[in-house]
Amino acid sequence: MIKKKKNKIEFIIVLLILFVFIFIFEIPRKFFNILRLSYDERLNISYDFCSNRSVGFINYVKKKHDIKNSVNFIKYTGVRNPNWIFFDRSSKREDELHILLNYNNDNEIFLERIDKNTFRYKFDPKYNHRIFKKIIIENLANLNTYEISIHNNSFTPKDTVINKLNYKTIKSNAEIYINNSNNKMMQSLQKQEKNITIKIQNNQNKINDDLKIKIKLEHIFKIQDYDIIEKINNCYLVARK
């Protein structure tokens, strides 16, 4: 009886080990891929072709265009610079060549309303390498002086008031152009992967419930300023004109 119980426990343990190897570590599938797929194909499956890491695209253009030296990477993803994987960083840089990873034309940030007069932009790497051009406020209804302030998400730094505005009731939308110093501050927060919070107040402390705020952006690296050598989805190999 004791021996049967022991054998049953051992059988269950063996089943658990097999389950882990087959379904958790996927050993059979990985071994099959090693036999069936080339190194480049396995690289694409493991690290994606043109998405966050874009390892497949980088490997593809490096081989196709026989790129020997390090190039300039412009990332619109949240992963670290992949340059070191493929190129010797001590080699001379190909200054004319740029690889743009996950390039996009999303040039408006719609802020989330988190309380009556506070709106938040939650960091997203797709807005990297942008100029912060203006803040657009919709559905202002009262004739008041509005104070707009920019904060990082922790509210620890001193508020930065970027403008004070007077509006007539016939004009419910406002466009506030961001000056150079405030643009640099917001770019710094973006590089640090921090959220940006905008507060709006008026002298009567009355803010419409349907008020909306968005930030208008502009590309630093404009695709029309480059000759496109290779393009697959949102990944580009380009050379400056």
Side-chain angles (χ1 to χ4, degrees), residues 4 45 52 129 160 230 239:
K4 286 184 178 180
I45 291 173
N52 285 331
H129 311 293
T160 302
E230 195 78 48

Side-chain angles (χ1 to χ4, degrees), residues 41-100:
E41 289 172 325
R42 297 199 305 272
L43 200 65
N44 293 345
I45 291 173
S46 298
Y47 294 102
D48 68 56
F49 192 87
C50 179
S51 184
N52 285 331
R53 295 180 180 86
S54 304
V55 167
F57 178 79
I58 298 166
N59 192 45
Y60 170 74
V61 296
K62 180 187 177 185
K63 290 185 175 181
K64 179 179 178 180
H65 300 280
D66 194 27
I67 302 172
K68 302 296 186 184
N69 297 327
S70 174
V71 301
N72 299 291
F73 280 87
I74 303 169
K75 302 187 301 94
Y76 299 86
T77 66
V79 298
R80 62 181 295 186
N81 192 325
N83 202 358
W84 64 275
I85 302 175
F86 296 97
F87 301 101
D88 180 0
R89 286 182 292 180
S90 64
S91 65
K92 183 181 178 182
R93 183 182 293 274
E94 297 278 1
D95 289 331
E96 294 301 313
L97 289 179
H98 294 70
I99 290 179
L100 281 61

Side-chain angles (χ1 to χ4, degrees), residues 117-150:
N117 62 349
T118 307
F119 296 77
R120 180 177 62 192
Y121 155 53
K122 191 174 181 180
F123 168 79
D124 190 326
K126 74 177 181 180
Y127 298 116
N128 287 347
H129 311 293
R130 298 296 210 284
I131 300 168
F132 289 78
K133 296 294 291 184
K134 59 185 176 181
I135 296 170
I136 299 174
I137 306 172
E138 299 178 355
N139 300 322
L140 290 168
N142 300 315
L143 182 60
N144 291 301
T145 299
Y146 289 90
E147 182 178 280
I148 314 300
S149 57
I150 303 172

Side-chain angles (χ1 to χ4, degrees), residues 62-237:
K62 180 187 177 185
K63 290 185 175 181
K64 179 179 178 180
H65 300 280
D66 194 27
I67 302 172
K68 302 296 186 184
N69 297 327
S70 174
V71 301
N72 299 291
F73 280 87
I74 303 169
K75 302 187 301 94
Y76 299 86
T77 66
V79 298
R80 62 181 295 186
N81 192 325
N83 202 358
W84 64 275
I85 302 175
F86 296 97
F87 301 101
D88 180 0
R89 286 182 292 180
S90 64
S91 65
K92 183 181 178 182
R93 183 182 293 274
E94 297 278 1
D95 289 331
E96 294 301 313
L97 289 179
H98 294 70
I99 290 179
L100 281 61
L101 301 180
N102 209 25
Y103 185 88
N104 64 85
N105 287 309
D106 296 329
N107 284 326
E108 286 186 337
I109 300 173
F110 295 87
L111 276 66
E112 172 193 9
R113 190 168 194 166
I114 56 177
D115 64 29
K116 181 180 178 181
N117 62 349
T118 307
F119 296 77
R120 180 177 62 192
Y121 155 53
K122 191 174 181 180
F123 168 79
D124 190 326
K126 74 177 181 180
Y127 298 116
N128 287 347
H129 311 293
R130 298 296 210 284
I131 300 168
F132 289 78
K133 296 294 291 184
K134 59 185 176 181
I135 296 170
I136 299 174
I137 306 172
E138 299 178 355
N139 300 322
L140 290 168
N142 300 315
L143 182 60
N144 291 301
T145 299
Y146 289 90
E147 182 178 280
I148 314 300
S149 57
I150 303 172
H151 315 249
N152 74 9
N153 200 46
S154 64
F155 290 92
T156 51
K158 185 178 179 181
D159 292 351
T160 302
V161 178
I162 63 170
N163 212 337
K164 289 185 178 181
L165 306 162
N166 289 307
Y167 293 101
K168 296 180 180 179
T169 51
I170 58 172
K171 188 174 182 180
S172 60
N173 296 342
E175 292 188 0
I176 305 163
Y177 286 87
I178 299 170
N179 62 31
N180 187 52
S181 62
N182 286 305
N183 169 56
K184 288 182 177 179
M185 181 195 69
M186 296 171 82
Q187 286 177 326
S188 176
L189 292 175
Q190 177 73 13
K191 287 179 181 178
Q192 296 173 58
E193 301 186 359
K194 292 185 177 180
N195 300 339
I196 296 174
T197 303
I198 294 178
K199 296 186 72 175
I200 178 167
Q201 296 175 308
N202 62 31
N203 53 11
Q204 296 181 10
N205 199 28
K206 292 181 180 179
I207 305 297
N208 285 350
D209 292 336
D210 59 348
L211 189 139
K212 298 176 182 178
I213 297 181
K214 61 183 177 182
I215 302 173
K216 192 75 175 176
L217 310 171
E218 185 178 293
H219 271 293
I220 293 175
F221 301 98
K222 298 178 181 178
I223 199 68
Q224 59 267 31
D225 294 335
Y226 297 86
D227 290 319
I228 298 173
I229 301 170
E230 195 78 48
K231 176 187 182 300
I232 298 177
N233 297 330
N234 289 333
C235 292
Y236 294 77
L237 173 66

